[in-house]
PDB file of all heavy atoms in Angstrom:
ATOM      1  N   SER A  17      98.745 -45.993  24.696  1.00 98.00           N
ATOM      2  CA  SER A  17      97.880 -45.065  23.985  1.00 98.00           C
ATOM      3  C   SER A  17      98.200 -45.049  22.500  1.00 98.00           C
ATOM      4  O   SER A  17      99.331 -45.314  22.082  1.00 98.00           O
ATOM      5  CB  SER A  17      98.045 -43.647  24.540  1.00 98.00           C
ATOM      6  OG  SER A  17      97.704 -43.574  25.909  1.00 98.00           O
ATOM      7  N   LEU A  18      97.203 -44.734  21.714  1.00 98.00           N
ATOM      8  CA  LEU A  18      97.341 -44.510  20.287  1.00 98.00           C
ATOM      9  C   LEU A  18      96.399 -43.394  19.875  1.00 98.00           C
ATOM     10  O   LEU A  18      95.355 -43.202  20.500  1.00 98.00           O
ATOM     11  CB  LEU A  18      97.008 -45.759  19.473  1.00 98.00           C
ATOM     12  CG  LEU A  18      97.999 -46.913  19.441  1.00 98.00           C
ATOM     13  CD1 LEU A  18      97.361 -48.114  18.736  1.00 98.00           C
ATOM     14  CD2 LEU A  18      99.278 -46.508  18.734  1.00 98.00           C
ATOM     15  N   ARG A  19      96.755 -42.674  18.829  1.00 98.00           N
ATOM     16  CA  ARG A  19      95.856 -41.701  18.237  1.00 98.00           C
ATOM     17  C   ARG A  19      95.626 -42.047  16.780  1.00 98.00           C
ATOM     18  O   ARG A  19      96.566 -42.077  15.985  1.00 98.00           O
ATOM     19  CB  ARG A  19      96.395 -40.270  18.350  1.00 98.00           C
ATOM     20  CG  ARG A  19      95.354 -39.241  17.887  1.00 98.00           C
ATOM     21  CD  ARG A  19      95.792 -37.813  18.082  1.00 98.00           C
ATOM     22  NE  ARG A  19      96.774 -37.391  17.099  1.00 98.00           N
ATOM     23  CZ  ARG A  19      97.071 -36.124  16.840  1.00 98.00           C
ATOM     24  NH1 ARG A  19      96.459 -35.146  17.511  1.00 98.00           N
ATOM     25  NH2 ARG A  19      97.997 -35.842  15.938  1.00 98.00           N
ATOM     26  N   LEU A  20      94.389 -42.304  16.444  1.00 98.00           N
ATOM     27  CA  LEU A  20      94.007 -42.579  15.076  1.00 98.00           C
ATOM     28  C   LEU A  20      93.590 -41.286  14.388  1.00 98.00           C
ATOM     29  O   LEU A  20      92.987 -40.408  15.007  1.00 98.00           O
ATOM     30  CB  LEU A  20      92.849 -43.574  15.024  1.00 98.00           C
ATOM     31  CG  LEU A  20      93.037 -44.893  15.777  1.00 98.00           C
ATOM     32  CD1 LEU A  20      91.831 -45.793  15.549  1.00 98.00           C
ATOM     33  CD2 LEU A  20      94.322 -45.586  15.364  1.00 98.00           C
ATOM     34  N   SER A  21      93.904 -41.193  13.107  1.00 97.00           N
ATOM     35  CA  SER A  21      93.523 -40.043  12.311  1.00 97.00           C
ATOM     36  C   SER A  21      92.727 -40.501  11.104  1.00 97.00           C
ATOM     37  O   SER A  21      92.967 -41.580  10.559  1.00 97.00           O
ATOM     38  CB  SER A  21      94.754 -39.268  11.835  1.00 97.00           C
ATOM     39  OG  SER A  21      95.507 -38.782  12.920  1.00 97.00           O
ATOM     40  N   CYS A  22      91.801 -39.687  10.692  1.00 96.00           N
ATOM     41  CA  CYS A  22      91.009 -39.943   9.499  1.00 96.00           C
ATOM     42  C   CYS A  22      90.997 -38.675   8.665  1.00 96.00           C
ATOM     43  O   CYS A  22      90.417 -37.666   9.080  1.00 96.00           O
ATOM     44  CB  CYS A  22      89.589 -40.369   9.875  1.00 96.00           C
ATOM     45  SG  CYS A  22      88.464 -40.558   8.471  1.00 96.00           S
ATOM     46  N   VAL A  23      91.650 -38.717   7.519  1.00 95.00           N
ATOM     47  CA  VAL A  23      91.676 -37.578   6.619  1.00 95.00           C
ATOM     48  C   VAL A  23      90.446 -37.628   5.730  1.00 95.00           C
ATOM     49  O   VAL A  23      90.181 -38.647   5.086  1.00 95.00           O
ATOM     50  CB  VAL A  23      92.962 -37.562   5.780  1.00 95.00           C
ATOM     51  CG1 VAL A  23      92.925 -36.412   4.776  1.00 95.00           C
ATOM     52  CG2 VAL A  23      94.183 -37.443   6.676  1.00 95.00           C
ATOM     53  N   VAL A  24      89.727 -36.535   5.707  1.00 91.00           N
ATOM     54  CA  VAL A  24      88.487 -36.428   4.949  1.00 91.00           C
ATOM     55  C   VAL A  24      88.724 -35.530   3.745  1.00 91.00           C
ATOM     56  O   VAL A  24      89.259 -34.430   3.872  1.00 91.00           O
ATOM     57  CB  VAL A  24      87.359 -35.869   5.821  1.00 91.00           C
ATOM     58  CG1 VAL A  24      86.070 -35.769   5.021  1.00 91.00           C
ATOM     59  CG2 VAL A  24      87.168 -36.729   7.060  1.00 91.00           C
ATOM     60  N   SER A  25      88.329 -35.989   2.578  1.00 92.00           N
ATOM     61  CA  SER A  25      88.464 -35.207   1.361  1.00 92.00           C
ATOM     62  C   SER A  25      87.169 -35.263   0.570  1.00 92.00           C
ATOM     63  O   SER A  25      86.268 -36.043   0.864  1.00 92.00           O
ATOM     64  CB  SER A  25      89.636 -35.712   0.517  1.00 92.00           C
ATOM     65  OG  SER A  25      89.438 -37.061   0.128  1.00 92.00           O
ATOM     66  N   GLY A  26      87.108 -34.453  -0.459  1.00 88.00           N
ATOM     67  CA  GLY A  26      85.893 -34.342  -1.235  1.00 88.00           C
ATOM     68  C   GLY A  26      84.988 -33.280  -0.643  1.00 88.00           C
ATOM     69  O   GLY A  26      85.422 -32.400   0.095  1.00 88.00           O
ATOM     70  N   TYR A  27      83.729 -33.376  -0.957  1.00 79.00           N
ATOM     71  CA  TYR A  27      82.755 -32.433  -0.431  1.00 79.00           C
ATOM     72  C   TYR A  27      82.322 -32.895   0.947  1.00 79.00           C
ATOM     73  O   TYR A  27      81.566 -33.856   1.083  1.00 79.00           O
ATOM     74  CB  TYR A  27      81.559 -32.331  -1.372  1.00 79.00           C
ATOM     75  CG  TYR A  27      80.582 -31.259  -0.990  1.00 79.00           C
ATOM     76  CD1 TYR A  27      80.912 -29.916  -1.129  1.00 79.00           C
ATOM     77  CD2 TYR A  27      79.328 -31.585  -0.486  1.00 79.00           C
ATOM     78  CE1 TYR A  27      80.017 -28.919  -0.778  1.00 79.00           C
ATOM     79  CE2 TYR A  27      78.430 -30.596  -0.130  1.00 79.00           C
ATOM     80  CZ  TYR A  27      78.771 -29.268  -0.273  1.00 79.00           C
ATOM     81  OH  TYR A  27      77.883 -28.285   0.072  1.00 79.00           O
ATOM     82  N   THR A  28      82.802 -32.206   1.977  1.00 80.00           N
ATOM     83  CA  THR A  28      82.646 -32.668   3.354  1.00 80.00           C
ATOM     84  C   THR A  28      81.412 -32.122   4.056  1.00 80.00           C
ATOM     85  O   THR A  28      81.114 -32.545   5.174  1.00 80.00           O
ATOM     86  CB  THR A  28      83.881 -32.311   4.182  1.00 80.00           C
ATOM     87  OG1 THR A  28      84.065 -30.888   4.176  1.00 80.00           O
ATOM     88  CG2 THR A  28      85.119 -32.971   3.597  1.00 80.00           C
ATOM     89  N   SER A  29      80.715 -31.219   3.450  1.00 83.00           N
ATOM     90  CA  SER A  29      79.513 -30.669   4.058  1.00 83.00           C
ATOM     91  C   SER A  29      78.351 -31.641   3.908  1.00 83.00           C
ATOM     92  O   SER A  29      78.229 -32.334   2.904  1.00 83.00           O
ATOM     93  CB  SER A  29      79.165 -29.327   3.416  1.00 83.00           C
ATOM     94  OG  SER A  29      78.012 -28.757   4.004  1.00 83.00           O
ATOM     95  N   GLY A  30      77.507 -31.696   4.933  1.00 89.00           N
ATOM     96  CA  GLY A  30      76.316 -32.514   4.877  1.00 89.00           C
ATOM     97  C   GLY A  30      76.487 -33.934   5.384  1.00 89.00           C
ATOM     98  O   GLY A  30      75.758 -34.835   4.949  1.00 89.00           O
ATOM     99  N   TYR A  31      77.421 -34.146   6.313  1.00 92.00           N
ATOM    100  CA  TYR A  31      77.686 -35.474   6.851  1.00 92.00           C
ATOM    101  C   TYR A  31      77.833 -35.425   8.362  1.00 92.00           C
ATOM    102  O   TYR A  31      78.188 -34.395   8.941  1.00 92.00           O
ATOM    103  CB  TYR A  31      78.964 -36.070   6.251  1.00 92.00           C
ATOM    104  CG  TYR A  31      78.909 -36.270   4.759  1.00 92.00           C
ATOM    105  CD1 TYR A  31      79.376 -35.282   3.903  1.00 92.00           C
ATOM    106  CD2 TYR A  31      78.404 -37.441   4.221  1.00 92.00           C
ATOM    107  CE1 TYR A  31      79.325 -35.452   2.529  1.00 92.00           C
ATOM    108  CE2 TYR A  31      78.358 -37.617   2.847  1.00 92.00           C
ATOM    109  CZ  TYR A  31      78.818 -36.622   2.010  1.00 92.00           C
ATOM    110  OH  TYR A  31      78.768 -36.805   0.646  1.00 92.00           O
ATOM    111  N   CYS A  32      77.569 -36.548   8.993  1.00 94.00           N
ATOM    112  CA  CYS A  32      77.921 -36.793  10.383  1.00 94.00           C
ATOM    113  C   CYS A  32      79.065 -37.803  10.412  1.00 94.00           C
ATOM    114  O   CYS A  32      79.144 -38.683   9.547  1.00 94.00           O
ATOM    115  CB  CYS A  32      76.740 -37.348  11.173  1.00 94.00           C
ATOM    116  SG  CYS A  32      75.282 -36.289  11.234  1.00 94.00           S
ATOM    117  N   TRP A  33      79.905 -37.708  11.437  1.00 94.00           N
ATOM    118  CA  TRP A  33      81.162 -38.461  11.467  1.00 94.00           C
ATOM    119  C   TRP A  33      81.260 -39.320  12.711  1.00 94.00           C
ATOM    120  O   TRP A  33      80.951 -38.872  13.818  1.00 94.00           O
ATOM    121  CB  TRP A  33      82.349 -37.495  11.419  1.00 94.00           C
ATOM    122  CG  TRP A  33      82.206 -36.468  10.353  1.00 94.00           C
ATOM    123  CD1 TRP A  33      81.728 -35.204  10.491  1.00 94.00           C
ATOM    124  CD2 TRP A  33      82.524 -36.635   8.970  1.00 94.00           C
ATOM    125  NE1 TRP A  33      81.737 -34.557   9.284  1.00 94.00           N
ATOM    126  CE2 TRP A  33      82.220 -35.408   8.330  1.00 94.00           C
ATOM    127  CE3 TRP A  33      83.044 -37.681   8.218  1.00 94.00           C
ATOM    128  CZ2 TRP A  33      82.414 -35.225   6.971  1.00 94.00           C
ATOM    129  CZ3 TRP A  33      83.231 -37.493   6.862  1.00 94.00           C
ATOM    130  CH2 TRP A  33      82.921 -36.282   6.254  1.00 94.00           C
ATOM    131  N   SER A  34      81.758 -40.562  12.530  1.00 96.00           N
ATOM    132  CA  SER A  34      81.867 -41.496  13.641  1.00 96.00           C
ATOM    133  C   SER A  34      83.055 -42.428  13.443  1.00 96.00           C
ATOM    134  O   SER A  34      83.592 -42.557  12.345  1.00 96.00           O
ATOM    135  CB  SER A  34      80.594 -42.341  13.783  1.00 96.00           C
ATOM    136  OG  SER A  34      79.469 -41.544  14.113  1.00 96.00           O
ATOM    137  N   TRP A  35      83.431 -43.082  14.534  1.00 97.00           N
ATOM    138  CA  TRP A  35      84.400 -44.169  14.525  1.00 97.00           C
ATOM    139  C   TRP A  35      83.700 -45.473  14.864  1.00 97.00           C
ATOM    140  O   TRP A  35      82.879 -45.523  15.789  1.00 97.00           O
ATOM    141  CB  TRP A  35      85.527 -43.931  15.535  1.00 97.00           C
ATOM    142  CG  TRP A  35      86.522 -42.899  15.130  1.00 97.00           C
ATOM    143  CD1 TRP A  35      86.541 -41.595  15.481  1.00 97.00           C
ATOM    144  CD2 TRP A  35      87.668 -43.112  14.295  1.00 97.00           C
ATOM    145  NE1 TRP A  35      87.622 -40.962  14.928  1.00 97.00           N
ATOM    146  CE2 TRP A  35      88.336 -41.871  14.191  1.00 97.00           C
ATOM    147  CE3 TRP A  35      88.203 -44.229  13.632  1.00 97.00           C
ATOM    148  CZ2 TRP A  35      89.509 -41.716  13.441  1.00 97.00           C
ATOM    149  CZ3 TRP A  35      89.354 -44.072  12.890  1.00 97.00           C
ATOM    150  CH2 TRP A  35      89.994 -42.823  12.806  1.00 97.00           C
ATOM    151  N   PHE A  36      84.040 -46.516  14.122  1.00 98.00           N
ATOM    152  CA  PHE A  36      83.568 -47.863  14.373  1.00 98.00           C
ATOM    153  C   PHE A  36      84.762 -48.784  14.536  1.00 98.00           C
ATOM    154  O   PHE A  36      85.883 -48.440  14.168  1.00 98.00           O
ATOM    155  CB  PHE A  36      82.697 -48.378  13.218  1.00 98.00           C
ATOM    156  CG  PHE A  36      81.335 -47.755  13.133  1.00 98.00           C
ATOM    157  CD1 PHE A  36      81.162 -46.474  12.641  1.00 98.00           C
ATOM    158  CD2 PHE A  36      80.215 -48.466  13.539  1.00 98.00           C
ATOM    159  CE1 PHE A  36      79.913 -45.898  12.547  1.00 98.00           C
ATOM    160  CE2 PHE A  36      78.947 -47.904  13.448  1.00 98.00           C
ATOM    161  CZ  PHE A  36      78.804 -46.622  12.954  1.00 98.00           C
ATOM    162  N   ARG A  37      84.513 -49.977  15.056  1.00 98.00           N
ATOM    163  CA  ARG A  37      85.545 -50.998  15.093  1.00 98.00           C
ATOM    164  C   ARG A  37      84.908 -52.359  14.850  1.00 98.00           C
ATOM    165  O   ARG A  37      83.714 -52.547  15.080  1.00 98.00           O
ATOM    166  CB  ARG A  37      86.317 -50.989  16.416  1.00 98.00           C
ATOM    167  CG  ARG A  37      85.509 -51.393  17.644  1.00 98.00           C
ATOM    168  CD  ARG A  37      86.363 -51.224  18.893  1.00 98.00           C
ATOM    169  NE  ARG A  37      85.648 -51.623  20.097  1.00 98.00           N
ATOM    170  CZ  ARG A  37      86.107 -51.456  21.324  1.00 98.00           C
ATOM    171  NH1 ARG A  37      87.308 -50.890  21.519  1.00 98.00           N
ATOM    172  NH2 ARG A  37      85.398 -51.850  22.367  1.00 98.00           N
ATOM    173  N   GLN A  38      85.734 -53.289  14.393  1.00 98.00           N
ATOM    174  CA  GLN A  38      85.228 -54.606  14.060  1.00 98.00           C
ATOM    175  C   GLN A  38      86.274 -55.668  14.346  1.00 98.00           C
ATOM    176  O   GLN A  38      87.424 -55.548  13.930  1.00 98.00           O
ATOM    177  CB  GLN A  38      84.814 -54.674  12.587  1.00 98.00           C
ATOM    178  CG  GLN A  38      84.140 -55.977  12.192  1.00 98.00           C
ATOM    179  CD  GLN A  38      83.568 -55.923  10.789  1.00 98.00           C
ATOM    180  OE1 GLN A  38      84.051 -55.172   9.941  1.00 98.00           O
ATOM    181  NE2 GLN A  38      82.546 -56.720  10.539  1.00 98.00           N
ATOM    182  N   VAL A  39      85.852 -56.697  15.053  1.00 97.00           N
ATOM    183  CA  VAL A  39      86.647 -57.896  15.270  1.00 97.00           C
ATOM    184  C   VAL A  39      86.178 -58.938  14.266  1.00 97.00           C
ATOM    185  O   VAL A  39      84.984 -59.049  13.976  1.00 97.00           O
ATOM    186  CB  VAL A  39      86.488 -58.412  16.708  1.00 97.00           C
ATOM    187  CG1 VAL A  39      87.275 -59.698  16.914  1.00 97.00           C
ATOM    188  CG2 VAL A  39      86.926 -57.353  17.705  1.00 97.00           C
ATOM    189  N   SER A  40      87.109 -59.705  13.733  1.00 91.00           N
ATOM    190  CA  SER A  40      86.776 -60.720  12.743  1.00 91.00           C
ATOM    191  C   SER A  40      85.675 -61.630  13.268  1.00 91.00           C
ATOM    192  O   SER A  40      85.751 -62.142  14.390  1.00 91.00           O
ATOM    193  CB  SER A  40      88.015 -61.534  12.390  1.00 91.00           C
ATOM    194  OG  SER A  40      87.718 -62.522  11.433  1.00 91.00           O
ATOM    195  N   GLY A  41      84.650 -61.808  12.454  1.00 93.00           N
ATOM    196  CA  GLY A  41      83.543 -62.667  12.822  1.00 93.00           C
ATOM    197  C   GLY A  41      82.439 -61.985  13.595  1.00 93.00           C
ATOM    198  O   GLY A  41      81.414 -62.612  13.874  1.00 93.00           O
ATOM    199  N   LYS A  42      82.635 -60.726  13.959  1.00 96.00           N
ATOM    200  CA  LYS A  42      81.632 -59.990  14.704  1.00 96.00           C
ATOM    201  C   LYS A  42      81.137 -58.798  13.895  1.00 96.00           C
ATOM    202  O   LYS A  42      81.781 -58.350  12.953  1.00 96.00           O
ATOM    203  CB  LYS A  42      82.185 -59.515  16.039  1.00 96.00           C
ATOM    204  CG  LYS A  42      82.545 -60.620  17.010  1.00 96.00           C
ATOM    205  CD  LYS A  42      82.976 -60.058  18.351  1.00 96.00           C
ATOM    206  CE  LYS A  42      83.270 -61.161  19.342  1.00 96.00           C
ATOM    207  NZ  LYS A  42      83.684 -60.610  20.661  1.00 96.00           N
ATOM    208  N   GLU A  43      79.983 -58.294  14.293  1.00 95.00           N
ATOM    209  CA  GLU A  43      79.405 -57.139  13.624  1.00 95.00           C
ATOM    210  C   GLU A  43      80.185 -55.881  13.968  1.00 95.00           C
ATOM    211  O   GLU A  43      80.663 -55.714  15.089  1.00 95.00           O
ATOM    212  CB  GLU A  43      77.937 -56.994  14.029  1.00 95.00           C
ATOM    213  CG  GLU A  43      77.181 -55.943  13.246  1.00 95.00           C
ATOM    214  CD  GLU A  43      75.712 -55.921  13.590  1.00 95.00           C
ATOM    215  OE1 GLU A  43      75.383 -55.631  14.754  1.00 95.00           O
ATOM    216  OE2 GLU A  43      74.897 -56.205  12.698  1.00 95.00           O
ATOM    217  N   ARG A  44      80.300 -55.001  13.005  1.00 96.00           N
ATOM    218  CA  ARG A  44      80.933 -53.717  13.241  1.00 96.00           C
ATOM    219  C   ARG A  44      80.129 -52.919  14.265  1.00 96.00           C
ATOM    220  O   ARG A  44      78.902 -52.855  14.193  1.00 96.00           O
ATOM    221  CB  ARG A  44      81.027 -52.959  11.923  1.00 96.00           C
ATOM    222  CG  ARG A  44      81.980 -51.790  11.916  1.00 96.00           C
ATOM    223  CD  ARG A  44      82.236 -51.308  10.484  1.00 96.00           C
ATOM    224  NE  ARG A  44      82.908 -52.329   9.684  1.00 96.00           N
ATOM    225  CZ  ARG A  44      83.293 -52.153   8.425  1.00 96.00           C
ATOM    226  NH1 ARG A  44      83.088 -50.988   7.815  1.00 96.00           N
ATOM    227  NH2 ARG A  44      83.886 -53.139   7.767  1.00 96.00           N
ATOM    228  N   GLU A  45      80.819 -52.322  15.229  1.00 95.00           N
ATOM    229  CA  GLU A  45      80.144 -51.613  16.299  1.00 95.00           C
ATOM    230  C   GLU A  45      80.606 -50.163  16.384  1.00 95.00           C
ATOM    231  O   GLU A  45      81.768 -49.849  16.123  1.00 95.00           O
ATOM    232  CB  GLU A  45      80.371 -52.305  17.643  1.00 95.00           C
ATOM    233  CG  GLU A  45      81.817 -52.327  18.105  1.00 95.00           C
ATOM    234  CD  GLU A  45      81.988 -52.894  19.498  1.00 95.00           C
ATOM    235  OE1 GLU A  45      80.977 -53.131  20.184  1.00 95.00           O
ATOM    236  OE2 GLU A  45      83.150 -53.102  19.914  1.00 95.00           O
ATOM    237  N   GLY A  46      79.693 -49.306  16.763  1.00 96.00           N
ATOM    238  CA  GLY A  46      80.021 -47.908  16.948  1.00 96.00           C
ATOM    239  C   GLY A  46      80.880 -47.695  18.177  1.00 96.00           C
ATOM    240  O   GLY A  46      80.636 -48.281  19.230  1.00 96.00           O
ATOM    241  N   VAL A  47      81.880 -46.851  18.053  1.00 97.00           N
ATOM    242  CA  VAL A  47      82.793 -46.533  19.141  1.00 97.00           C
ATOM    243  C   VAL A  47      82.569 -45.115  19.649  1.00 97.00           C
ATOM    244  O   VAL A  47      82.468 -44.887  20.855  1.00 97.00           O
ATOM    245  CB  VAL A  47      84.258 -46.718  18.701  1.00 97.00           C
ATOM    246  CG1 VAL A  47      85.220 -46.260  19.798  1.00 97.00           C
ATOM    247  CG2 VAL A  47      84.520 -48.165  18.324  1.00 97.00           C
ATOM    248  N   ALA A  48      82.522 -44.166  18.737  1.00 97.00           N
ATOM    249  CA  ALA A  48      82.390 -42.766  19.117  1.00 97.00           C
ATOM    250  C   ALA A  48      81.830 -41.969  17.958  1.00 97.00           C
ATOM    251  O   ALA A  48      82.070 -42.292  16.796  1.00 97.00           O
ATOM    252  CB  ALA A  48      83.739 -42.186  19.547  1.00 97.00           C
ATOM    253  N   SER A  49      81.090 -40.932  18.263  1.00 96.00           N
ATOM    254  CA  SER A  49      80.586 -40.016  17.261  1.00 96.00           C
ATOM    255  C   SER A  49      80.695 -38.595  17.782  1.00 96.00           C
ATOM    256  O   SER A  49      80.706 -38.370  18.997  1.00 96.00           O
ATOM    257  CB  SER A  49      79.140 -40.337  16.880  1.00 96.00           C
ATOM    258  OG  SER A  49      78.273 -40.180  17.987  1.00 96.00           O
ATOM    259  N   ILE A  50      80.789 -37.648  16.876  1.00 95.00           N
ATOM    260  CA  ILE A  50      80.913 -36.247  17.248  1.00 95.00           C
ATOM    261  C   ILE A  50      79.791 -35.464  16.598  1.00 95.00           C
ATOM    262  O   ILE A  50      79.485 -35.638  15.416  1.00 95.00           O
ATOM    263  CB  ILE A  50      82.299 -35.686  16.874  1.00 95.00           C
ATOM    264  CG1 ILE A  50      82.487 -34.283  17.446  1.00 95.00           C
ATOM    265  CG2 ILE A  50      82.529 -35.721  15.369  1.00 95.00           C
ATOM    266  CD1 ILE A  50      83.942 -33.838  17.444  1.00 95.00           C
ATOM    267  N   ALA A  51      79.160 -34.610  17.387  1.00 94.00           N
ATOM    268  CA  ALA A  51      78.055 -33.793  16.916  1.00 94.00           C
ATOM    269  C   ALA A  51      78.557 -32.450  16.408  1.00 94.00           C
ATOM    270  O   ALA A  51      79.686 -32.037  16.687  1.00 94.00           O
ATOM    271  CB  ALA A  51      77.033 -33.590  18.031  1.00 94.00           C
ATOM    272  N   ARG A  52      77.700 -31.760  15.703  1.00 91.00           N
ATOM    273  CA  ARG A  52      78.076 -30.470  15.142  1.00 91.00           C
ATOM    274  C   ARG A  52      78.259 -29.397  16.202  1.00 91.00           C
ATOM    275  O   ARG A  52      78.940 -28.400  15.953  1.00 91.00           O
ATOM    276  CB  ARG A  52      77.049 -30.039  14.106  1.00 91.00           C
ATOM    277  CG  ARG A  52      77.162 -30.834  12.810  1.00 91.00           C
ATOM    278  CD  ARG A  52      76.001 -30.609  11.879  1.00 91.00           C
ATOM    279  NE  ARG A  52      76.252 -31.226  10.575  1.00 91.00           N
ATOM    280  CZ  ARG A  52      75.354 -31.382   9.627  1.00 91.00           C
ATOM    281  NH1 ARG A  52      74.099 -30.959   9.826  1.00 91.00           N
ATOM    282  NH2 ARG A  52      75.677 -31.952   8.476  1.00 91.00           N
ATOM    283  N   ASP A  53      77.671 -29.605  17.380  1.00 92.00           N
ATOM    284  CA  ASP A  53      77.879 -28.665  18.475  1.00 92.00           C
ATOM    285  C   ASP A  53      79.124 -28.991  19.292  1.00 92.00           C
ATOM    286  O   ASP A  53      79.386 -28.334  20.306  1.00 92.00           O
ATOM    287  CB  ASP A  53      76.643 -28.592  19.379  1.00 92.00           C
ATOM    288  CG  ASP A  53      76.358 -29.886  20.124  1.00 92.00           C
ATOM    289  OD1 ASP A  53      77.131 -30.850  19.988  1.00 92.00           O
ATOM    290  OD2 ASP A  53      75.346 -29.931  20.846  1.00 92.00           O
ATOM    291  N   GLY A  54      79.888 -29.996  18.879  1.00 90.00           N
ATOM    292  CA  GLY A  54      81.118 -30.361  19.548  1.00 90.00           C
ATOM    293  C   GLY A  54      80.991 -31.445  20.592  1.00 90.00           C
ATOM    294  O   GLY A  54      82.011 -31.925  21.096  1.00 90.00           O
ATOM    295  N   SER A  55      79.786 -31.823  20.942  1.00 95.00           N
ATOM    296  CA  SER A  55      79.599 -32.878  21.925  1.00 95.00           C
ATOM    297  C   SER A  55      79.914 -34.233  21.310  1.00 95.00           C
ATOM    298  O   SER A  55      79.939 -34.387  20.090  1.00 95.00           O
ATOM    299  CB  SER A  55      78.178 -32.853  22.478  1.00 95.00           C
ATOM    300  OG  SER A  55      77.228 -33.091  21.454  1.00 95.00           O
ATOM    301  N   ALA A  56      80.137 -35.215  22.152  1.00 96.00           N
ATOM    302  CA  ALA A  56      80.547 -36.537  21.698  1.00 96.00           C
ATOM    303  C   ALA A  56      79.711 -37.611  22.355  1.00 96.00           C
ATOM    304  O   ALA A  56      79.175 -37.432  23.450  1.00 96.00           O
ATOM    305  CB  ALA A  56      82.028 -36.768  21.995  1.00 96.00           C
ATOM    306  N   ARG A  57      79.617 -38.748  21.695  1.00 96.00           N
ATOM    307  CA  ARG A  57      78.959 -39.934  22.210  1.00 96.00           C
ATOM    308  C   ARG A  57      79.934 -41.094  22.141  1.00 96.00           C
ATOM    309  O   ARG A  57      80.691 -41.213  21.180  1.00 96.00           O
ATOM    310  CB  ARG A  57      77.701 -40.272  21.397  1.00 96.00           C
ATOM    311  CG  ARG A  57      76.728 -39.121  21.219  1.00 96.00           C
ATOM    312  CD  ARG A  57      76.002 -38.775  22.508  1.00 96.00           C
ATOM    313  NE  ARG A  57      74.978 -37.768  22.278  1.00 96.00           N
ATOM    314  CZ  ARG A  57      75.183 -36.451  22.353  1.00 96.00           C
ATOM    315  NH1 ARG A  57      76.383 -35.986  22.658  1.00 96.00           N
ATOM    316  NH2 ARG A  57      74.190 -35.613  22.133  1.00 96.00           N
TER     317      ARG A  57
END
Side-chain angles (χ1 to χ4, degrees):
S17 299
L18 286 172
R19 187 175 75 163
L20 306 183
S21 299
C22 174
V23 176
V24 180
S25 61
Y27 187 70
T28 60
S29 181
Y31 298 93
C32 300
W33 312 96
S34 296
W35 286 96
F36 287 76
R37 67 185 181 187
Q38 186 172 27
V39 178
S40 180
K42 295 185 177 180
E43 188 175 63
R44 196 167 296 183
E45 64 174 352
V47 175
S49 63
I50 188 164
R52 286 169 171 169
D53 66 2
S55 62
R57 308 289 186 270

